[in-house]
Structures are given as structure tokens and as C-alpha cells.
Amino acid sequence: MSTPEPTAFTPLAALARGLRERRWSSRELTRHFLDRIARHDGALRSFITVTEERALAQADAADRRLAAGAATPLTGIPIAHKDLFCTDGVLTTCGSRMLANFTAPYDATVVARLDAAGAVTLGKTNMDEFAMGSSNENSWFGPVGNPWDPTRVPGGSSGGSAAAVAAGLAPVATGTDTGGSIRQPAAFCGLAGIKPTYGRVSRYGMVAFASSLDQAGVFGHDVADLAAMLAFMCGHDPLDSTSSDVPDPWLMQAADTPPAAPARAPVIGLPREYFSGLGTGADALDAARRVLEAAGCRFRDISLPHSPMAIPAYYIIAGAEASTNLSRYDGVRFGHRCENPQNLEDLYRRSRTEGFGMEVKRRILTGTYALSVGYFDAYYVKAQQLRRLIQNDFLAAFADVDLILTPTAPGVAFPRGDLADDPIAMYQQDIFTVPASLAGLPAMSLPCGFHAGLPLGLQLIGPHFGERALLETGALFQRDTDWHRRHPEGFPA
Amino acid sequence: MSTPFVTPRGWEAVIGLEVHVQLATRSKIFSGASTAFGAAPNTQACAVDLGLPGVLPVLNLEAVRMAVKFGLAIGAVIHARSVFDRKNYFYPDLPKGYQISQFQQPVVGAGRLTVGLPDGQEKTVRITRAHLEEDAGKSVHDAFPGLTGIDLNRAGTALLEVVSEPDLRTPAEAAAYFRRMHGLVRYLGICDGNLAEGSMRCDANVSVRPAGTTTLGERTEIKNLNSFRFLERAIEHEIERQVELIESGGTVRRETRLYDPDRNETRAMRSKELSDDYRYFPDPDLMPLVITEAFIDDVRATLPELPEARRARYRDTLGLPDYDAAWLTDDPAVADYFEAVAHASGDAKLAANWVMGELSAALNRAERSIADSPVTPAALGTLIQRIRDETISSKLAKTVFEALWAGAGDVDTIIEARGLRQVSDSGALEALVRQVVADNPGQVAQYRAGKDKVFGFFVGQVMKATQGKANPKQLNDLLREVLGSD
């Protein structure tokens, strides 16, 4: 079959159309991306595991399904999963030495649903260990390069997924976002990335970092790609008690009917706390505002007064939850076990010392401290109170505006190593993304320009279960801009 | 029998119990894995029970239903909102490194349980709270030389932990409380009550103080007692140990102790001086448990007749003595059996006597539970009927019972096959009586001279001739008639 080759940056809908029209098969498509991974990923390290055989088998099954006329818009589309989604029979490392040998015996709900839709899994992407980090330098499998400048970080923790999509090694990829782990790397890599409302997507089978914050999401080039993936990922899961049982008919059909500009242009709030002192990116955000204004959006200055407290509150809550979520890695049943343990204490001590990296240990220690008798009220309880105040800020704001626009990150991708010795500076990377996480709100980053050749991102935050408004407004913005059609030079289509 | 325990003179013990009731849910409290006992190690542990990365707990509604049922049965407050917490500690049989439990907001609040004491008095014990939690797995120390095995079949089994106020004052009271709790949970059908398999376990908090004072002494906690007798003996020993310690100038330390039934002593397990920090906090994987009035009403409608009501009914409606009513209602399986026998036989008192006497003795000898009794309630009911309609004598009825137990067929077949039917044919019996009287003129003379005791001799002779089958009443009447005439 002589077919025009798809480009690495073809939108999902066009890839699906090509599959339906037999311009290419899923096997060809899959082969195309596997070849790109083989050619380019040595420099990027965006994949921890490439599941070539499995992918080709899935592609053949997809081709049969396409031939039978039983395809979904994702059938035959190659995707990649962040390596904290459990995949039955495939290594799931979470970027950690602790799980470097862990083959999950079951599929995460996200994986199962995308498999059922017919998507083809190319492999598992690199990440900060246990999703803790903002630069993807905390991976046992090595740091990930940013396709726009491989000496710089791709952001984190879902840096492998972001780099893979930005370099055209996969059309789309899943990620997870606890305090910004999708949005910040999306901004650094020039991608669209969405963290849905907490509870929108099942957490079952996602290796837990901070359970009350973790949420699965997607990287793609445009909002249509995000919507197509979310349509299959979202929805109640009886295996996750915190997943929402309120269906969203609009989102569920968003793979068939991609988001278009909203019928009524939204009123968008600009929280002053997010803009004061913003250097890099201020001009790009201003330009983005003008694009949206020209399309009919109205802007209003608002205040989210407790935002400055978000980072400390976040690091206490996330650390506290992480400290107990990671207790199960004890060398007893699975994961890393030290050599020749002398006794139980030695088994625990050495297995955990060897198995976890510095950042993970730092967070386990701070989290354990925050939950300890005598400190619980001063730290954990206080942080929860702050979290409530931050939520209330947003609820009050959404009484007046439909969406909120902010920068995604304080700057562009930084050189590897720059912040490695300064955890506090590293934590400030999440300053604009963490408040929406604490409030459980949906938030999305879209490319909105460049600074010194590196991508910049804007963040749109919506009210709870307001994914539709986010995606439709994103569609409006991407209709009138082409930042999302720029791709790094080193990875030609 | 050993001599009954007496608290050392001048001292009073203060005892509170924490009873862990293993709920009889088919699947685990936070996963779909089976809870059946005795499967090969780690075959009944799914990804959730193993604490694999990424798994999440989902609350088993049946466990909630059972907890509410228990709460209603002890007249407790059912909290409209309760919260599951993580209790963090490392142990190899605790797969997640934390146990999901309820700390500050339990599902069941304060209630009470009335306990029958050995002296016949009743005592109301206050229950502080009852909360839902998951069980841990088991460490297996004898399977592999030099190594410890872990069996996670039990991990995630639903437990209801019932905490009493320190209202108990003697080891016997504590045992009576545990026994009454044991009966109650089986009445409710929320626990199989199998102590040997660990379905109910008890921790006892024990302290002593000079009699007449009100300040509490320092307490110790004796862990993991799983029989009424061990509970009683462990507390007896602990009271004596604490009193001896204090009287010899020492002080009791807050600590956890284990009871060794072989040596009848308690031993310190770990000191609680440096209190463990379990870093409790609400489990973010589970929503707060919200219980509606409608749910409570729904559960209330399923409440069976409770032991107290049943005791009263046996006493007031069936006319049984207090002792019988209490004895029979202790175990719902026994009470159900008794009621079936009473119904089939039409005589509650005879039914009670047989269940408490012959049947109970046979079950004890064979070490069987009443559920495994080879004699069905229907058969025992028929047997009692045959006594009442004078087909057989009470004495021979025991022979029939033994045959029933041995599986020799139904009551009537046994009676016929072994010729145990009472001789009630007055003609045949009268002929025998006349023969015996005629053969023993000496005794006749004694009787007629006023020696009434000789009457028994004649009864014995006739019984011997009939192999015990003579209808005793008929025989008496005939004998009096024949001896008195002439």
C-alpha cells in the first residue's frame, strides 16, 4: 500500500481520518513513531520503556477493528503513558530505583479505558521520581532533555511525556498533575496540557504521590487532542471512591465533535497576585489577552488574596500524604530490596535508603514531621485551613468571572542543574499552578509565545467541572494564534 | 474445679475491654477479595490487599450495615458522618505501611451492654464507641527456618472494634461481658463468633487501686485474648501481678503485655512509655462516610430479636426458669435449636431439659457445635412427643437418644426395632403383676403389714420382667389394685 506518510505533528483527528480512509494503517503509524523514538530519544531520554512488540500487536488489532468498522476516534492512534500508570505486564517504575524492577500485574483505569478505545501504547515515559519535581532531573533513569534545547529541562514531573510529544515521538501522552506536573512541562515544551477537575479521571492504578491532589491529564498540540483523549479517560470509576459520578455528556462526545469557540465569549479574570512582578512572559500574556479580547472575551481584574500561601500549604499537604503513600515501599513484597538484610529494621532502612532519591526522601521527612504528634495542628491542620481559604478565594472569583487567566510558570525552561541545589527555588516553579491544584480546579496550559527561542505558556483555570469552558476558550485562542503549530527544529517532521 | 478468684483484700481492679469483631462480610472491607478462612497463604489477597502501587480502597457497604446493626443493638448513637483515618506504622504484615481505621470520628458512638453476672445479678457496661477498620495479615514464624513468612489472606478483613468504658471490676465480669458480646454479634449475624479462628479477639486494659478510692491506677494492656477462659485467667494473673508489684514497693508501668496460656502468666511486649506516634490523619482516598436516617431505618428493620428480649420471652411466655432462659439464649444457634425442639415436641420445659442435659452433654463429649449435632431438632422433638404420649419411658428415651446420635434411624423405627415401646397393654401387664404378687407371698405380707417400701420391690420385679418397658403409671395403678385387693 503506497500511502502518504503522516507527519509527526499531525493532529489526532487527521490521523484518525487517515486511518479510516486507509491512507495509512495503524501499524504504519505505530512504526513511524517507534522509528522516531529510536532515532531521537537517545538525546532526550523521554521514554523509560518502549513497548515495541506490544505496540505493533495493538496496532494490528486496531487495524482489524478499523476494517470491521468498529473503530473509535482513538483506534489505532499511538500514545504514550507517563510511567506511573500501571500497565499489566509492563514495567512501571515511577522514575524510581525503588520500582525499577516492578512489573504491574494490572492496568490503571486510564490505561484500560484508552486500551479499550483502541489506542496503541508506544511505551512509558520518563518522569521525576514518584512525580516529585519540576524539572525531570529527579529520575533514577536520568534527566530528560527539552526538545527546544536539550541542555535545558522539560519541566516536571511529567517531563518525559511533554518532551516526547514536543519532539513528535508520540502524538499525545498522558501525564499526571499534583501541583503543576502537566501544566508547567506543557509550558516549557510548547504544548497544550490539561489537568482536569479533581475526580474527573480515575486515580486507580496511578502510583500515588499526594492522593487529594493527584489527577491524570493529557499533553497534546492542541485542545482538540486533549479533548479527544479526555473523552475516553473521564468518568466515574467504581474503583476510585473519589472519582466523580456526575457524567459530562459534552466531554464524553468531545472526541467526535472537537471543541469549537464558545457560543458566548467568556468573562476572564486576571488575578493581580499572579501578575505583580512578572518579568519573562508578561508581554506574551498581554498579547494573548489582546487576542482573546479581539475575539470577544472580556477581562476583569480580580484578587485571589491567599495565593501567596499556596506553596507552603501545598508542600505540607502533599508531603504529608506522600509520606504515608510511600510507606508501602519497604522491601517486603515488591520493589527494591537491599542485599542481605540483617534484620527487619535493616531491611527497611537500607531498602528505603537505596531505593529512594534525595527529593523523595526530603518530602517523606517533611511530611512525616508535619503529621507527628505535637506538630500536626501547627502544620497539617493549618495547611488544610489555608487550603480551604484558597478554595474560597476561587469560589468567590467564579461568582464574577467564567475563567481565570494566569501565567503557567514564572519563566521559560531553565538549564539543567540551575536549581538542583535549591529546593525552595525549585518549589517556586509551581507558584502559579499549585493554587488550582489545592482547590481541585481544572486548569490548562497553552503555548502563547516565545522568549529567547523557548516556549511560554498561559494558564486558564476553570470552575469545578468546567472543562468545557476551558477547552472551548482554548479552541478560540488556538483558532486565532499559531504558537501550537511551532515545533522544535531538532526534530523535523 | 479450681477455687474461684478473689481480688486481693483491700484492692479493686478496673477493667476495660477492646473487642475486635471480625465482620462476616463475604468480601474484604476495602476490596473484593474473599474472606473465607483457611485458604492457602496469599491466595485471598488481591492487588488492593497487597498494597500494590496505585491501588485504592473502596468501602464495603455491607461492613457499614453490620456496624450500624451493632450500634442499634447496643442503643448507640450512629454518627451521620464518620471519617476513615490512616494509622501509620511499619510492620511486614501491614502491606501499605498504614492501617485504615477510624480515629476521631467513629461510626458508632456511646452505647451500653447488659451483662449477666455469675451471682445472677445484671450489670450494665457502658460502651464508648465502635469503629470500622481493616485487619492486618499474619506473620508466619514456623514455615521457613530462619525466615518469617507473610500471609496476607486476612489483610483487609473488616473489623469492628468495640471499646468499653472501664466499668468492669472482676475477671469474671470481664469474661461475662465478652461472652455476652459474643452472643450478641452472632444474634446479629455480623460475626461467626469462631474464637479459635480469631473471629473475635479481645484486648484487656487492667489497673488496680486501693478499694474505696476513685483515682485510676496505671494500666497495662493485655493483647490478643481469644477465649473466655484465657481472658479471665489473664486478668486474674495481671491483677495479682500488679498488686504484688505495688505492695512490694514497685510501680506499674504503662505497657502492652501478652498472655501465655501454657505458663499462665503475662509478659511485657513493648513499653508504651515512649508512646507510639501513629500520625493519624484522614485517608484522602476515602470520602467521609455519610449515613442517612433512611439507611439506619433500613438496617433497623433487619434487627432480629435480641438476646434480652428472647430471655424475657422464654421466661414470660414459655414459663422457663431464669436459669434456663439465660442458658438457652446465650448462643443464638442453641436458642434456635431449642425453639425448634419446643415447637416440634409441644413441651418447652421438656425441650429445655433435653437440650441443656442430654444433648449438651453429648455435644461436649464429641466436641461438636450444635450446628453439627447428628440429632436434628425435629428428631428430638419426636422423641419428646413419644415420652409425652407414653410410648416410651423417660429412662428408655435416653437409649433412643443414643441410637439417634449414632445414626440408627428415626425415633419410631428405633423404638420398634429395639422393642422399647412401653407395655401399656393392661391385660398383659395385669397378668404379669398378678404373677409377681403370687410368686412373692412374703413381700406381700410385709406390704400389707404396712411396709410401704416393699412396693418398690414389686415395681422392680415387673420392670425386670418387661426389660423396663412397663408403663410406670399403669404399673403403679395395677400394683396398688392387686396388692390392695384380696
Side-chain angles (χ1 to χ4, degrees):
Chain A
M1 187 158 55
S2 152
T3 53
E5 198 176 277
T7 81
F9 303 103
T10 307
L12 287 199
L15 290 178
R17 198 174 326 113
L19 285 167
R20 276 200 310 278
E21 295 170 359
R22 307 295 174 81
R23 277 185 287 137
W24 46 71
S25 66
S26 177
R27 175 169 266 268
E28 286 165 329
L29 211 50
T30 302
R31 190 76 262 168
H32 174 73
F33 285 101
L34 288 171
D35 289 347
R36 284 184 65 86
I37 293 168
R39 194 156 64 241
H40 294 300
D41 204 40
L44 293 178
R45 270 192 293 251
S46 67
F47 280 85
I48 290 173
T49 303
V50 177
T51 49
E52 175 162 346
E53 269 181 48
R54 223 175 123 95
L56 291 171
Q58 280 184 319
D60 290 342
D63 283 328
R64 288 192 295 274
R65 190 166 161 182
L66 282 152
T72 76
L74 289 188
T75 303
I77 305 285
I79 65 170
H81 285 299
K82 185 176 183 180
D83 204 20
L84 63 52
F85 289 97
C86 284
T87 37
D88 195 353
V90 176
L91 218 52
T92 298
T93 70
C94 230
S96 181
R97 183 185 188 192
M98 185 59 90
L99 291 178
N101 64 0
F102 178 68
T103 299
Y106 74 103
D107 279 327
T109 297
V110 162
V111 172
R113 288 185 176 181
L114 290 170
D115 275 0
V120 173
T121 303
L122 296 168
K124 309 286 294 290
T125 59
N126 206 342
M127 55 182 285
D128 280 308
E129 182 178 9
F130 284 100
M132 298 175 188
S134 307
S135 67
N136 224 305
E137 293 166 290
N138 302 333
S139 170
W140 170 252
F141 299 89
V144 177
N146 187 320
W148 293 88
D149 175 353
T151 68
R152 290 177 182 259
V153 305
S157 66
S158 313
S161 285
V165 176
L169 311 189
V172 289
T174 58
T176 63
D177 188 315
T178 306
S181 284
I182 289 174
R183 292 161 285 164
Q184 184 249 19
F188 279 14
C189 293
L191 296 175
I194 187 166
K195 175 200 98 74
T197 311
Y198 182 79
R200 178 64 94 188
V201 178
S202 169
R203 292 186 295 115
Y204 188 77
M206 267 168 59
V207 180
F209 160 18
S211 311
S212 74
L213 296 153
D214 294 344
Q215 180 61 203
V218 196
F219 293 94
H221 296 286
D222 62 26
V223 293
D225 291 359
L226 304 187
M229 288 285 281
L230 273 190
F232 289 93
M233 290 164 66
C234 74
H236 178 64
D237 179 6
L239 298 176
D240 176 1
S241 310
T242 62
S243 78
S244 167
D245 55 5
V246 182
D248 183 335
W250 180 86
L251 191 54
M252 287 161 70
Q253 60 75 57
D256 303 291
T257 317
R264 182 183 67 81
V267 178
I268 299 175
L270 299 168
R272 67 178 66 96
E273 292 81 5
Y274 286 63
F275 288 91
S276 64
L278 183 66
T280 313
D283 294 347
L285 272 160
D286 207 42
R289 183 176 59 77
R290 285 196 300 278
V291 168
L292 288 166
E293 240 165 14
C297 299
R298 282 174 297 140
F299 283 86
R300 192 169 291 174
D301 287 330
I302 60 167
S303 174
L304 297 168
H306 296 95
S307 303
M309 304 306 291
I311 290 283
Y314 170 82
Y315 277 93
I316 286 167
I317 291 167
E321 293 180 9
S323 73
T324 94
N325 278 335
L326 271 60
S327 292
R328 70 192 60 196
Y329 308 108
D330 56 7
V332 174
R333 294 166 313 284
F334 50 77
H336 179 74
R337 176 186 282 188
C338 67
E339 297 280 343
N340 301 317
Q342 297 305 299
N343 51 48
L344 186 58
E345 165 113 13
D346 184 47
L347 169 73
Y348 287 156
R349 189 185 295 274
R350 281 199 290 129
S351 298
R352 288 169 68 82
T353 301
E354 296 163 6
F356 291 137
M358 266 313 293
E359 183 60 27
V360 172
K361 284 175 194 158
R362 177 159 31 232
R363 298 204 197 185
I364 290 174
L365 287 173
T366 53
T368 301
Y369 184 80
L371 289 177
S372 297
V373 166
Y375 301 98
F376 183 76
D377 291 335
Y379 292 98
Y380 182 79
V381 172
K382 274 278 182 303
Q384 289 290 7
Q385 288 166 348
L386 276 172
R387 181 177 192 173
R388 170 66 60 181
L389 292 172
I390 288 162
Q391 280 170 347
N392 290 344
D393 281 358
F394 279 109
L395 293 180
F398 284 123
D400 295 328
V401 301
D402 299 312
L403 297 173
I404 293 169
L405 176 71
T406 78
T408 305
V412 292
F414 48 87
R416 190 179 306 149
D418 258 21
L419 304 182
D421 299 327
D422 188 350
I424 302 298
M426 187 70 94
Y427 294 172
Q428 294 300 318
Q429 281 296 314
D430 302 330
I431 191 163
F432 301 135
T433 47
V434 151
S437 296
L438 287 171
L441 298 169
M444 178 171 71
S445 181
L446 296 177
C448 69
F450 288 86
H451 174 82
L454 295 165
L456 286 163
L458 64 78
Q459 175 178 231
L460 283 170
I461 302 170
H464 288 115
F465 301 106
E467 282 83 357
R468 178 178 185 170
L470 282 184
L471 291 164
E472 287 186 339
T473 304
L476 177 70
F477 182 72
Q478 293 194 324
R479 183 194 68 191
D480 297 343
T481 57
D482 69 350
W483 305 116
H484 58 291
R485 297 290 166 228
R486 313 273 183 96
H487 306 296
E489 281 174 11
F491 305 88
Chain B
M1 282 295 280
S2 55
T3 48
F5 175 81
V6 181
T7 303
R9 180 183 291 277
W11 292 90
E12 177 182 60
V14 177
I15 303 156
L17 297 187
E18 292 168 22
V19 179
H20 299 258
V21 178
Q22 187 177 303
L23 296 177
T25 53
R26 282 200 304 278
S27 58
K28 296 186 176 179
I29 184 168
F30 298 118
S31 86
S34 165
T35 53
F37 180 83
N42 298 310
T43 56
Q44 290 185 169
C46 68
V48 174
D49 307 321
L50 295 173
L52 290 185
V55 297
L56 296 171
V58 175
L59 180 59
N60 181 338
L61 191 63
E62 201 49 38
V64 178
R65 200 177 284 282
M66 289 180 175
V68 170
K69 206 169 178 183
F70 177 82
L72 292 173
I74 60 163
V77 180
I78 308 297
H79 289 145
R81 185 177 184 279
S82 62
V83 171
F84 287 96
D85 297 286
R86 291 185 182 178
K87 177 181 182 179
N88 294 285
Y89 64 95
F90 282 95
Y91 204 69
D93 63 18
L94 187 71
K96 298 186 293 297
Y98 58 84
Q99 177 195 29
I100 305 177
S101 181
Q102 296 190 302
F103 182 48
Q104 286 186 328
Q105 301 180 62
V107 59
V108 175
R112 47 194 61 227
L113 187 68
T114 301
V115 174
L117 300 182
D119 62 4
Q121 297 293 305
E122 295 209 318
K123 172 168 186 157
T124 296
V125 179
R126 291 170 301 156
I127 289 172
T128 317
R129 58 182 280 172
H131 65 257
L132 284 166
E133 63 184 23
E134 59 179 342
D135 207 345
K138 265 189 223 167
S139 297
V140 181
H141 295 294
D142 51 3
F144 315 98
L147 296 170
T148 297
I150 305 294
D151 178 3
L152 295 175
N153 282 354
R154 204 181 64 188
T157 300
L159 295 180
L160 187 69
E161 182 175 334
V162 185
V163 183
S164 85
E165 292 288 318
D167 285 351
L168 302 158
R169 291 292 172 271
T170 68
E173 282 184 22
Y177 169 86
F178 191 22
R179 194 174 274 119
R180 188 54 62 84
M181 181 79 68
H182 182 248
L184 177 63
V185 297
R186 280 173 309 152
Y187 266 80
L188 297 172
I190 64 173
C191 175
D192 66 17
N194 193 326
L195 298 169
E197 290 175 4
S199 296
M200 278 182 88
R201 310 192 290 276
C202 186
D203 301 340
N205 285 291
V206 180
S207 66
V208 297
R209 64 187 174 195
T213 60
T214 53
T215 329
L216 290 172
E218 185 61 278
R219 68 170 189 267
T220 60
E221 182 180 20
I222 316 167
K223 281 272 185 207
N224 250 335
L225 299 158
N226 71 345
S227 91
F228 305 125
R229 194 161 51 98
F230 289 168
L231 170 69
E232 196 165 344
R233 284 170 51 184
I235 297 174
E236 287 172 3
H237 172 270
E238 184 57 18
I239 292 171
E240 280 171 347
R241 189 190 71 86
Q242 291 187 12
V243 169
E244 269 169 38
L245 187 64
I246 297 170
E247 286 184 340
S248 65
T251 47
V252 176
R253 292 194 316 159
R254 169 86 63 98
E255 63 190 359
T256 300
R257 300 181 71 83
L258 272 184
Y259 176 67
D260 180 345
D262 296 330
R263 304 167 72 171
N264 190 27
E265 62 177 32
T266 67
R267 278 199 300 273
M269 201 162 103
R270 58 169 187 257
S271 171
K272 278 202 170 175
E273 272 180 331
L274 295 168
S275 165
D276 295 306
D277 182 357
Y278 290 120
R279 305 191 318 284
Y280 283 102
F281 79 111
D283 190 337
D285 287 332
L286 290 161
M287 308 296 271
L289 172 59
V290 174
I291 295 177
T292 61
E293 280 301 319
F295 183 85
I296 295 174
D297 289 343
D298 202 41
V299 174
R300 189 179 283 119
T302 68
L303 275 182
E305 183 185 35
L306 296 177
E308 269 177 73
R310 210 164 193 179
R311 274 195 296 282
R313 180 162 62 82
Y314 285 10
R315 210 171 42 227
D316 304 339
T317 311
L318 300 182
L320 295 183
D322 280 345
Y323 178 82
D324 292 13
W327 197 102
L328 290 167
T329 53
D330 219 22
D331 177 342
V334 172
D336 289 344
Y337 188 102
F338 156 73
E339 286 192 31
V341 176
H343 179 76
S345 67
D347 188 325
K349 181 57 188 151
L350 266 185
N353 290 349
W354 274 88
V355 171
M356 295 164 64
E358 214 62 29
L359 177 71
S360 162
L363 290 171
N364 281 343
R365 272 195 303 275
E367 292 182 0
R368 283 189 179 218
S369 78
I370 201 155
D372 299 328
S373 169
V375 180
T376 65
L380 188 51
T382 308
L383 178 59
I384 293 171
Q385 268 184 7
R386 294 294 167 270
I387 301 170
R388 295 181 70 213
D389 67 15
E390 302 187 346
T391 306
I392 51 171
S393 65
S394 298
K395 190 156 181 288
L396 285 179
K398 291 179 182 172
T399 310
V400 178
F401 179 85
E402 277 159 24
L404 274 176
W405 182 276
D410 66 42
V411 171
D412 291 323
T413 312
I414 292 168
I415 292 173
E416 291 311 324
R418 308 203 175 181
L420 300 176
R421 183 178 282 278
Q422 281 189 142
V423 180
S424 302
D425 172 344
S426 54
L429 204 55
E430 185 175 346
L432 256 176
V433 167
R434 288 195 183 284
Q435 183 66 50
V436 168
V437 169
D439 289 351
N440 297 285
Q443 280 81 357
V444 174
Q446 285 177 20
Y447 178 76
R448 291 191 176 145
K451 274 191 96 175
D452 288 349
K453 271 198 238 167
V454 183
F455 190 77
F457 166 79
F458 291 107
V459 173
Q461 289 300 307
V462 178
M463 280 296 181
K464 194 172 163 193
T466 61
Q467 291 163 303
K469 289 180 293 189
N471 180 328
K473 186 172 177 306
Q474 219 172 1
L475 171 58
N476 276 355
D477 293 348
L478 275 171
L479 257 178
R480 281 191 205 290
E481 190 187 316
V482 174
L483 286 170
S485 67
D486 194 64

